[in-house]
């Protein structure tokens, strides 16, 4: 048998087969690529609406530290600002203001609520959260992070916000 002749025929055949198989083996996009494509697609809804209030504008309306509590900035972005409420170095609550133009469904929990705090519609959010809707746009929320921080504590801290100042933002 002439192995040289077989090699000359077999080598191009195997090389062609290898190219064919590798070109057909395209990978499906990963779940991260799929999410990226979905979020940046032509008709995708933006996560933050352009008319959303800048988060830094909310900062001056948060309560000040005092009475054994420390109010510490935690997060700020367009349409949202968040502070941690600490007592004796321990996180007891989270205070936040968010613009509901980014999440219009957030206003639904206030519809039909007979409860008000400082004259604004109020709602409980689960067992650990209380919020008010200011100027039919801004959700001001206090969430307990410690069992010692009660419903009445949340309501008292909501009243410490400058809610009139937030209402004037528009």
């Amino acid at each position: 048998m002439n192995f040289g002749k077989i090699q000359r025929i077999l080598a191009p055949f195997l090389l062609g087969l290898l190219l064919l198989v590798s070109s057909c083996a395209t990978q499906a996009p990963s779940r991260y690529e799929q999410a990226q494509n979905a979020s940046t697609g032509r008709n995708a809804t933006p996560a933050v609406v352009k008319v959303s209030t800048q988060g830094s504008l909310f900062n001056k309306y948060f309560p000040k530290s005092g009475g054994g509590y420390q109010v510490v900035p935690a997060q700020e972005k367009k349409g949202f600002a968040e502070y941690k409420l600490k007592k004796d170095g321990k996180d007891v609550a989270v205070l936040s203001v968010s613009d509901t133009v980014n999440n219009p469904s957030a206003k639904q929990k206030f519809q039909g609520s007979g409860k008000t705090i400082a004259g604004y519609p109020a709602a409980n959010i689960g067992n650990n959260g209380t919020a008010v809707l200011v100027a039919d746009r801004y959700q001001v929320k206090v969430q307990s992070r410690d069992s010692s921080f009660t419903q009445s504590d949340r309501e008292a801290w909501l009243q410490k916000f400058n809610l009139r100042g937030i209402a004037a933002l528009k």
Side-chain angles (χ1 to χ4, degrees):
M1 240 187 194
N2 188 352
F3 287 110
K5 189 174 184 182
I6 294 174
Q7 283 180 329
R8 276 186 263 142
I9 294 171
L10 193 57
F13 175 75
L14 290 176
L15 184 60
L17 186 62
L18 178 66
L19 288 172
L20 179 67
V21 170
S22 65
S23 68
C24 292
T26 58
Q27 278 188 324
S30 73
R31 63 183 177 148
Y32 303 108
E33 290 172 315
Q34 289 172 345
Q36 179 67 24
N37 291 338
S39 68
T40 58
R42 291 176 75 193
N43 297 323
T45 305
V48 178
V49 180
K50 286 183 182 182
V51 296
S52 183
T53 304
Q54 189 61 40
S56 60
L57 294 177
F58 298 136
N59 292 333
K60 62 184 174 183
Y61 303 112
F62 277 85
K64 305 298 180 221
S65 296
Y69 289 94
Q70 187 179 17
V71 180
V72 181
Q75 185 181 37
E76 175 189 296
K77 58 186 176 184
K78 189 164 187 170
F80 179 78
E82 178 180 274
Y83 282 63
K84 291 184 179 184
L85 185 63
K86 296 178 176 263
K87 186 171 187 177
D88 300 324
K90 183 178 181 182
D91 288 351
V92 293
V94 175
L95 314 174
S96 64
V97 179
S98 59
D99 192 339
T100 62
V101 297
N102 298 313
N103 182 11
S105 64
K107 296 186 336 183
Q108 291 175 353
K109 63 181 148 279
F110 299 100
Q111 292 176 353
S113 171
K115 184 176 184 173
T116 61
I117 296 174
Y120 296 98
N124 289 327
I125 303 167
N127 294 327
N128 298 323
T130 307
V132 293
L133 183 63
V134 177
D136 198 40
R137 180 168 177 175
Y138 301 107
Q139 178 177 257
V140 181
K141 183 166 45 172
V142 178
Q143 296 173 287
S144 298
R145 292 294 185 247
D146 187 80
S147 60
S148 67
F149 201 80
T150 64
Q151 167 91 22
S152 60
D153 293 326
R154 292 192 303 267
E155 291 177 7
W157 276 91
L158 280 168
Q159 293 181 52
K160 292 181 183 190
F161 277 85
N162 180 349
L163 299 173
R164 286 186 185 165
I166 294 170
L169 279 173
K170 295 201 177 199

